[in-house]
Coordinates of all heavy atoms in Angstrom, one line a residue:
I1 N 0.9 -1.2 0.0 CA 0.0 0.0 0.0 C 0.9 1.2 0.0 O 1.8 1.3 0.8 CB -0.9 0.0 1.2 CG1 -1.8 -1.2 1.3 CG2 -1.7 1.3 1.3 CD1 -2.5 -1.4 2.6
T2 N 0.7 2.1 -0.9 CA 1.5 3.4 -1.0 C 0.5 4.5 -0.8 O -0.5 4.6 -1.5 CB 2.2 3.5 -2.3 OG1 3.0 2.3 -2.5 CG2 3.1 4.7 -2.4
L3 N 0.8 5.4 0.1 CA -0.1 6.6 0.3 C 0.7 7.8 0.5 O 1.9 7.8 1.0 CB -1.0 6.4 1.4 CG -0.4 6.1 2.8 CD1 -0.8 7.2 3.8 CD2 -0.9 4.8 3.3
D4 N 0.1 8.9 0.1 CA 0.8 10.2 0.3 C 0.4 10.8 1.6 O -0.7 10.5 2.2 CB 0.3 11.2 -0.8 CG 1.2 12.3 -1.1 OD1 1.8 12.9 -0.1 OD2 1.4 12.7 -2.3
L5 N 1.3 11.6 2.2 CA 1.0 12.2 3.5 C 0.0 13.3 3.4 O -0.8 13.5 4.2 CB 2.3 12.8 4.1 CG 3.3 11.8 4.6 CD1 4.5 12.5 5.2 CD2 2.7 10.9 5.7
Q6 N 0.0 14.0 2.2 CA -1.0 15.1 2.0 C -2.0 14.6 0.9 O -1.6 14.3 -0.2 CB -0.3 16.3 1.5 CG 0.8 16.9 2.4 CD 0.2 17.4 3.7 OE1 -0.9 18.0 3.7 NE2 0.8 17.2 4.8
M7 N -3.3 14.5 1.4 CA -4.3 14.0 0.5 C -5.5 14.9 0.6 O -5.8 15.4 1.7 CB -4.7 12.6 0.8 CG -3.6 11.6 0.6 SD -4.0 9.9 0.8 CE -4.7 9.9 2.5
P8 N -6.3 15.1 -0.5 CA -7.5 15.9 -0.4 C -8.6 15.1 0.4 O -8.6 13.9 0.5 CB -7.9 16.1 -1.8 CG -7.3 15.0 -2.6 CD -6.0 14.6 -1.8
G9 N -9.6 15.8 0.9 CA -10.7 15.1 1.4 C -10.8 15.1 2.9 O -11.6 14.4 3.5
G10 N -9.9 15.8 3.6 CA -10.1 15.9 5.1 C -9.3 14.9 5.9 O -9.2 15.0 7.1
I11 N -8.7 13.9 5.3 CA -7.8 13.0 6.0 C -6.5 12.9 5.3 O -6.4 13.1 4.1 CB -8.5 11.5 6.0 CG1 -7.7 10.7 7.0 CG2 -8.5 10.9 4.7 CD1 -8.5 9.4 7.4
N12 N -5.4 12.7 6.1 CA -4.1 12.7 5.5 C -3.5 11.3 5.8 O -4.0 10.5 6.5 CB -3.2 13.8 6.1 CG -2.9 13.7 7.5 OD1 -2.6 12.6 8.0 ND2 -3.0 14.8 8.3
G13 N -2.4 11.1 5.1 CA -1.7 9.8 5.2 C -1.3 9.4 6.6 O -1.3 8.3 7.0
M14 N -0.9 10.4 7.4 CA -0.5 10.1 8.8 C -1.7 9.5 9.6 O -1.5 8.6 10.4 CB 0.0 11.4 9.5 CG 1.2 12.0 8.9 SD 2.7 11.1 9.3 CE 3.0 11.7 11.0
E15 N -2.9 10.0 9.3 CA -4.1 9.5 10.0 C -4.5 8.1 9.5 O -5.1 7.4 10.2 CB -5.2 10.4 9.8 CG -5.0 11.8 10.4 CD -6.0 12.8 10.0 OE1 -6.6 12.7 8.9 OE2 -6.2 13.8 10.8
L16 N -4.0 7.7 8.3 CA -4.4 6.4 7.8 C -3.4 5.3 8.1 O -3.8 4.1 8.1 CB -4.5 6.5 6.2 CG -5.7 7.1 5.7 CD1 -5.6 7.2 4.2 CD2 -7.0 6.3 6.1
I17 N -2.2 5.6 8.5 CA -1.2 4.6 8.8 C -1.6 3.6 9.8 O -1.6 2.4 9.6 CB 0.1 5.3 9.2 CG1 0.7 6.0 7.9 CG2 1.1 4.2 9.6 CD1 1.9 6.9 8.3
A18 N -2.0 4.0 11.0 CA -2.4 3.1 12.1 C -3.6 2.2 11.7 O -3.6 1.0 11.8 CB -2.7 3.8 13.4
P19 N -4.7 2.8 11.1 CA -5.8 1.9 10.7 C -5.4 0.9 9.6 O -5.9 -0.2 9.6 CB -6.9 2.9 10.2 CG -6.5 4.2 10.8 CD -5.1 4.2 11.0
L20 N -4.6 1.4 8.7 CA -4.2 0.4 7.6 C -3.3 -0.7 8.2 O -3.5 -1.8 7.8 CB -3.4 1.2 6.5 CG -4.3 2.0 5.6 CD1 -3.4 2.9 4.7 CD2 -5.2 1.1 4.7
R21 N -2.4 -0.3 9.1 CA -1.5 -1.3 9.7 C -2.4 -2.3 10.5 O -2.1 -3.5 10.5 CB -0.5 -0.7 10.5 CG 0.5 -1.6 11.2 CD 1.2 -2.5 10.2 NE 2.1 -1.8 9.4 CZ 2.5 -2.3 8.2 NH1 2.1 -3.4 7.7 NH2 3.4 -1.6 7.4
H22 N -3.4 -1.8 11.2 CA -4.3 -2.7 12.0 C -5.1 -3.6 11.1 O -5.2 -4.8 11.3 CB -5.2 -1.8 12.8 CG -6.2 -2.6 13.6 ND1 -5.8 -3.3 14.8 CD2 -7.5 -2.9 13.5 CE1 -6.8 -4.0 15.2 NE2 -7.9 -3.7 14.5
R23 N -5.7 -3.1 10.0 CA -6.5 -3.9 9.1 C -5.7 -4.8 8.2 O -6.2 -5.9 7.9 CB -7.4 -2.9 8.3 CG -8.3 -3.7 7.4 CD -9.5 -2.9 6.9 NE -10.3 -3.8 6.1 CZ -11.4 -3.4 5.6 NH1 -11.9 -2.2 5.8 NH2 -12.1 -4.2 4.9
F24 N -4.6 -4.4 7.8 CA -3.7 -5.2 6.9 C -2.3 -5.3 7.5 O -1.3 -4.8 7.0 CB -3.6 -4.5 5.5 CG -4.9 -4.2 4.9 CD1 -5.5 -2.9 4.9 CD2 -5.7 -5.2 4.3 CE1 -6.7 -2.6 4.3 CE2 -6.9 -4.9 3.7 CZ -7.4 -3.6 3.7
P25 N -2.2 -6.1 8.6 CA -0.9 -6.1 9.3 C 0.2 -6.7 8.5 O 1.4 -6.4 8.8 CB -1.3 -7.0 10.5 CG -2.5 -7.8 10.1 CD -3.2 -6.9 9.2
H26 N -0.1 -7.5 7.5 CA 1.0 -8.1 6.7 C 1.3 -7.4 5.4 O 2.2 -7.8 4.6 CB 0.7 -9.6 6.4 CG 0.5 -10.3 7.7 ND1 1.6 -10.6 8.6 CD2 -0.6 -10.9 8.3 CE1 1.1 -11.3 9.6 NE2 -0.1 -11.5 9.5
A27 N 0.6 -6.3 5.1 CA 0.8 -5.5 3.9 C 2.1 -4.7 4.0 O 2.5 -4.3 5.1 CB -0.3 -4.6 3.7
I28 N 2.7 -4.5 2.9 CA 3.9 -3.6 2.8 C 3.3 -2.2 2.7 O 2.5 -1.9 1.8 CB 4.8 -3.9 1.6 CG1 5.4 -5.3 1.8 CG2 5.9 -2.8 1.4 CD1 6.1 -5.8 0.6
L29 N 3.7 -1.3 3.6 CA 3.1 0.1 3.7 C 4.2 1.1 3.4 O 5.2 1.1 4.2 CB 2.4 0.3 5.0 CG 1.7 1.6 5.3 CD1 0.6 1.8 4.3 CD2 1.1 1.5 6.7
A30 N 4.0 1.9 2.4 CA 5.0 2.9 2.0 C 4.3 4.3 2.1 O 3.2 4.4 1.6 CB 5.6 2.7 0.7
V31 N 5.0 5.3 2.5 CA 4.5 6.7 2.6 C 5.4 7.5 1.6 O 6.6 7.4 1.5 CB 4.7 7.3 4.0 CG1 4.4 8.7 4.0 CG2 3.8 6.5 5.0
I32 N 4.7 8.3 0.8 CA 5.3 9.2 -0.2 C 4.9 10.6 0.1 O 3.7 10.8 0.4 CB 5.0 8.7 -1.6 CG1 5.8 9.5 -2.6 CG2 3.5 8.8 -1.9 CD1 5.7 8.9 -4.0
S33 N 5.8 11.6 -0.1 CA 5.4 13.0 0.2 C 6.5 13.9 -0.4 O 7.7 13.6 -0.4 CB 5.2 13.2 1.7 OG 4.8 14.5 1.9
G34 N 6.0 15.1 -0.8 CA 6.9 16.2 -1.1 C 7.5 16.9 0.1 O 8.5 17.6 0.0
F35 N 6.7 16.8 1.2 CA 7.2 17.4 2.5 C 7.2 16.3 3.5 O 6.2 15.8 4.0 CB 6.2 18.4 2.9 CG 6.5 19.0 4.3 CD1 7.6 19.9 4.4 CD2 5.7 18.6 5.3 CE1 7.9 20.4 5.7 CE2 6.0 19.1 6.6 CZ 7.1 20.0 6.8
I36 N 8.4 15.9 3.9 CA 8.6 14.8 4.9 C 9.2 15.5 6.1 O 10.3 15.9 6.1 CB 9.5 13.7 4.3 CG1 8.8 13.0 3.1 CG2 9.8 12.7 5.4 CD1 9.6 11.9 2.5
P37 N 8.4 15.6 7.2 CA 8.9 16.2 8.4 C 10.2 15.5 8.9 O 10.3 14.2 8.7 CB 7.8 16.0 9.4 CG 6.6 15.7 8.6 CD 7.1 15.1 7.3
E38 N 11.0 16.2 9.6 CA 12.3 15.6 10.1 C 12.0 14.5 11.1 O 12.8 13.5 11.2 CB 13.1 16.7 10.8 CG 13.7 17.7 9.8 CD 14.6 18.7 10.5 OE1 15.1 18.4 11.6 OE2 14.8 19.8 10.0
N39 N 10.9 14.6 11.8 CA 10.6 13.6 12.9 C 9.7 12.5 12.4 O 9.2 11.7 13.2 CB 10.0 14.3 14.1 CG 8.7 15.0 13.7 OD1 8.4 15.2 12.6 ND2 7.9 15.3 14.7
I40 N 9.6 12.3 11.1 CA 8.6 11.3 10.6 C 9.1 9.9 11.0 O 8.2 9.1 11.3 CB 8.4 11.4 9.0 CG1 7.3 10.5 8.6 CG2 9.7 11.0 8.3 CD1 6.8 10.7 7.3
S41 N 10.3 9.6 11.0 CA 10.8 8.3 11.4 C 10.3 7.9 12.8 O 9.9 6.8 13.1 CB 12.3 8.1 11.3 OG 12.6 8.2 9.9
S42 N 10.4 8.9 13.7 CA 10.0 8.6 15.1 C 8.4 8.5 15.2 O 7.9 7.8 16.0 CB 10.5 9.7 16.0 OG 10.0 10.9 15.7
E43 N 7.7 9.2 14.3 CA 6.3 9.2 14.3 C 5.7 8.0 13.7 O 4.7 7.5 14.2 CB 5.7 10.5 13.7 CG 6.0 11.8 14.4 CD 5.3 13.0 13.8 OE1 4.3 12.8 13.1 OE2 5.9 14.1 13.9
V44 N 6.2 7.6 12.5 CA 5.6 6.5 11.8 C 6.5 5.4 11.4 O 6.1 4.4 10.8 CB 4.8 7.1 10.5 CG1 3.8 8.1 10.9 CG2 5.8 7.6 9.5
G45 N 7.8 5.6 11.6 CA 8.8 4.7 11.1 C 8.6 3.3 11.5 O 8.9 2.4 10.7
H46 N 8.0 3.0 12.7 CA 7.8 1.6 13.1 C 6.6 1.0 12.5 O 6.3 -0.2 12.5 CB 7.7 1.5 14.6 CG 6.6 2.4 15.2 ND1 6.7 3.7 15.3 CD2 5.4 2.0 15.7 CE1 5.6 4.2 15.8 NE2 4.8 3.1 16.1
N47 N 5.7 1.9 11.8 CA 4.5 1.4 11.2 C 4.5 1.3 9.7 O 3.6 0.9 9.1 CB 3.3 2.3 11.6 CG 2.8 1.9 13.0 OD1 2.8 0.7 13.4 ND2 2.4 2.9 13.8
V48 N 5.6 1.9 9.1 CA 5.7 1.8 7.6 C 7.0 1.1 7.2 O 7.9 1.0 8.0 CB 5.7 3.3 7.0 CG1 4.4 4.0 7.3 CG2 6.8 4.1 7.4
D49 N 7.0 0.6 6.0 CA 8.1 -0.2 5.5 C 9.1 0.7 4.7 O 10.2 0.4 4.5 CB 7.6 -1.4 4.7 CG 6.8 -2.3 5.6 OD1 7.4 -2.9 6.5 OD2 5.6 -2.4 5.3
A50 N 8.5 1.8 4.1 CA 9.4 2.7 3.3 C 8.8 4.1 3.4 O 7.6 4.3 3.5 CB 9.4 2.3 1.9
I51 N 9.7 5.1 3.4 CA 9.4 6.5 3.4 C 10.0 7.1 2.1 O 11.3 7.0 2.0 CB 9.9 7.3 4.6 CG1 9.2 6.7 5.9 CG2 9.6 8.8 4.5 CD1 9.8 7.2 7.2
I52 N 9.2 7.6 1.2 CA 9.7 7.9 -0.1 C 9.5 9.4 -0.4 O 8.4 9.9 -0.4 CB 9.0 7.1 -1.2 CG1 9.2 5.6 -0.9 CG2 9.5 7.5 -2.6 CD1 8.2 4.7 -1.5
P53 N 10.6 10.2 -0.6 CA 10.4 11.6 -0.9 C 10.1 11.9 -2.3 O 10.4 11.1 -3.2 CB 11.8 12.2 -0.5 CG 12.8 11.0 -0.8 CD 12.0 9.8 -0.5
K54 N 9.3 13.0 -2.5 CA 9.1 13.5 -3.9 C 10.1 14.6 -4.2 O 10.6 15.2 -3.3 CB 7.7 14.1 -4.0 CG 6.5 13.1 -3.9 CD 5.3 13.9 -4.1 CE 4.0 13.1 -3.9 NZ 2.8 13.9 -3.9
P55 N 10.5 14.8 -5.4 CA 10.0 14.1 -6.6 C 10.6 12.7 -6.5 O 11.7 12.4 -6.1 CB 10.5 14.9 -7.8 CG 11.7 15.7 -7.2 CD 11.4 15.9 -5.8
V56 N 9.8 11.7 -7.0 CA 10.2 10.3 -7.0 C 11.1 10.0 -8.1 O 10.9 10.2 -9.2 CB 8.9 9.4 -7.0 CG1 9.3 8.0 -7.0 CG2 8.0 9.8 -5.9
D57 N 12.3 9.4 -7.7 CA 13.2 8.8 -8.6 C 12.7 7.3 -8.8 O 12.7 6.6 -7.8 CB 14.6 8.8 -8.1 CG 15.6 8.1 -8.9 OD1 15.4 6.9 -9.1 OD2 16.6 8.7 -9.4
I58 N 12.2 7.0 -10.0 CA 11.6 5.7 -10.2 C 12.5 4.5 -9.8 O 12.1 3.6 -9.1 CB 11.1 5.5 -11.6 CG1 10.0 6.5 -11.9 CG2 10.6 4.1 -11.9 CD1 8.8 6.4 -11.1
D59 N 13.8 4.6 -10.1 CA 14.7 3.5 -9.8 C 14.9 3.4 -8.3 O 14.9 2.3 -7.7 CB 16.1 3.7 -10.4 CG 16.0 3.6 -11.9 OD1 15.2 2.8 -12.4 OD2 16.8 4.3 -12.6
A60 N 15.0 4.5 -7.6 CA 15.1 4.5 -6.1 C 13.8 4.0 -5.5 O 13.8 3.3 -4.5 CB 15.4 5.9 -5.6
F61 N 12.6 4.4 -6.1 CA 11.3 4.0 -5.6 C 11.2 2.4 -5.7 O 10.9 1.8 -4.7 CB 10.2 4.6 -6.4 CG 8.8 4.2 -6.1 CD1 8.3 4.6 -4.9 CD2 8.1 3.4 -6.9 CE1 7.0 4.3 -4.5 CE2 6.8 3.1 -6.6 CZ 6.2 3.5 -5.4
V62 N 11.6 1.9 -6.8 CA 11.6 0.4 -7.0 C 12.5 -0.2 -6.0 O 12.2 -1.2 -5.4 CB 11.9 0.0 -8.4 CG1 12.1 -1.5 -8.6 CG2 10.8 0.5 -9.4
Q63 N 13.7 0.3 -5.8 CA 14.7 -0.3 -4.9 C 14.1 -0.2 -3.4 O 14.3 -1.2 -2.7 CB 16.0 0.5 -5.0 CG 17.1 -0.2 -4.1 CD 17.4 -1.6 -4.6 OE1 17.7 -1.8 -5.7 NE2 17.4 -2.5 -3.6
L64 N 13.5 0.9 -3.0 CA 12.9 1.0 -1.7 C 11.9 0.0 -1.5 O 11.8 -0.7 -0.4 CB 12.4 2.4 -1.5 CG 13.4 3.5 -1.1 CD1 12.7 4.8 -1.1 CD2 13.9 3.2 0.3
L65 N 11.0 -0.2 -2.5 CA 9.9 -1.2 -2.4 C 10.5 -2.6 -2.3 O 10.0 -3.5 -1.6 CB 8.9 -1.0 -3.5 CG 8.1 0.2 -3.4 CD1 7.1 0.3 -4.6 CD2 7.3 0.4 -2.1
E66 N 11.5 -2.9 -3.1 CA 12.1 -4.2 -3.1 C 12.8 -4.5 -1.7 O 12.6 -5.6 -1.2 CB 13.2 -4.4 -4.2 CG 12.5 -4.5 -5.6 CD 13.6 -4.5 -6.7 OE1 14.8 -4.2 -6.5 OE2 13.1 -4.8 -7.9
N67 N 13.4 -3.5 -1.2 CA 14.0 -3.6 0.2 C 12.9 -3.8 1.2 O 13.1 -4.7 2.1 CB 14.9 -2.4 0.5 CG 16.1 -2.3 -0.3 OD1 16.5 -3.2 -1.0 ND2 16.7 -1.1 -0.3
A68 N 11.8 -3.1 1.1 CA 10.7 -3.2 2.0 C 10.1 -4.6 1.9 O 9.8 -5.3 3.0 CB 9.7 -2.2 1.8
Q69 N 10.0 -5.1 0.7 CA 9.5 -6.5 0.5 C 10.4 -7.5 1.2 O 9.9 -8.5 1.8 CB 9.2 -6.8 -0.9 CG 8.6 -8.1 -1.2 CD 8.3 -8.4 -2.6 OE1 8.9 -7.8 -3.5 NE2 7.4 -9.3 -2.9
Q70 N 11.7 -7.4 1.0 CA 12.6 -8.3 1.5 C 12.6 -8.3 3.1 O 12.6 -9.3 3.7 CB 14.1 -8.0 1.1 CG 15.1 -9.0 1.6 CD 16.5 -8.7 1.1 OE1 16.7 -7.9 0.2 NE2 17.5 -9.4 1.6
T71 N 12.6 -7.1 3.6 CA 12.5 -6.9 5.1 C 11.2 -7.6 5.6 O 11.2 -8.2 6.6 CB 12.6 -5.5 5.5 OG1 13.8 -4.9 5.0 CG2 12.4 -5.3 7.0
H72 N 10.1 -7.3 4.9 CA 8.8 -7.9 5.2 C 8.8 -9.4 5.3 O 8.4 -10.0 6.2 CB 7.8 -7.4 4.2 CG 6.4 -7.9 4.4 ND1 5.6 -7.5 5.4 CD2 5.7 -8.8 3.7 CE1 4.4 -8.1 5.3 NE2 4.5 -9.0 4.3
Q73 N 9.5 -10.0 4.2 CA 9.6 -11.4 4.2 C 10.4 -12.0 5.3 O 10.1 -13.0 5.9 CB 10.1 -11.9 2.8 CG 9.2 -11.6 1.7 CD 7.9 -12.4 1.8 OE1 7.9 -13.5 2.3 NE2 6.8 -11.8 1.4
E74 N 11.5 -11.3 5.6 CA 12.4 -11.7 6.7 C 11.6 -11.7 8.1 O 11.8 -12.6 8.9 CB 13.6 -10.8 6.8 CG 14.6 -11.1 5.6 CD 15.7 -10.0 5.5 OE1 15.7 -9.1 6.4 OE2 16.5 -10.1 4.6
R75 N 10.8 -10.7 8.3 CA 10.0 -10.6 9.5 C 9.0 -11.7 9.6 O 8.8 -12.2 10.7 CB 9.3 -9.2 9.6 CG 10.2 -8.0 9.9 CD 9.3 -6.8 9.9 NE 10.2 -5.6 10.1 CZ 9.9 -4.4 9.7 NH1 8.8 -4.2 9.0 NH2 10.7 -3.4 9.9
K76 N 8.4 -12.1 8.5 CA 7.4 -13.2 8.5 C 8.1 -14.5 8.9 O 7.6 -15.3 9.6 CB 6.8 -13.3 7.1 CG 5.7 -12.3 6.9 CD 5.1 -12.3 5.5 CE 4.4 -13.7 5.2 NZ 3.8 -13.7 3.9
H77 N 9.4 -14.7 8.4 CA 10.1 -15.9 8.7 C 10.5 -16.0 10.1 O 10.7 -17.1 10.6 CB 11.2 -16.1 7.7 CG 10.8 -16.4 6.3 ND1 10.0 -17.4 6.0 CD2 11.2 -15.8 5.2 CE1 9.8 -17.4 4.7 NE2 10.5 -16.4 4.1
V78 N 10.8 -14.9 10.8 CA 11.2 -15.0 12.2 C 10.1 -14.7 13.1 O 10.3 -14.6 14.3 CB 12.4 -14.0 12.4 CG1 13.6 -14.4 11.6 CG2 12.0 -12.5 12.2
G79 N 8.8 -14.7 12.6 CA 7.7 -14.5 13.5 C 7.4 -13.1 13.9 O 6.7 -12.9 14.9
G80 N 7.8 -12.1 13.1 CA 7.5 -10.7 13.4 C 6.1 -10.4 13.2 O 5.3 -11.2 12.7
S81 N 5.7 -9.2 13.7 CA 4.3 -8.8 13.6 C 3.9 -8.4 12.2 O 2.7 -8.3 11.9 CB 4.0 -7.7 14.6 OG 4.8 -6.6 14.3
R82 N 4.8 -8.1 11.3 CA 4.4 -7.7 10.0 C 5.0 -8.6 8.9 O 5.9 -9.1 8.9 CB 4.9 -6.3 9.6 CG 4.1 -5.3 10.4 CD 4.4 -3.9 10.0 NE 5.5 -3.4 10.7 CZ 6.3 -2.4 10.2 NH1 6.1 -2.0 9.0 NH2 7.3 -2.0 10.9

């Protein structure tokens, strides 16, 4: 699941992270944004698998998602929560 921190419609990506992680605990969750606060890792780092800055470099984006998928698989094999 990839979501932006800034979204129209009254809810933002930060507000969706916890409900998405609760509903889909085994999903790979990535956050993308043109404005990434300095403290984002402490706020959401433990609930997301990748934090991707805009503008998006496609090769870096693919690499981040591949790394997140590998980490996700390793956690599943050792009995982690995600």
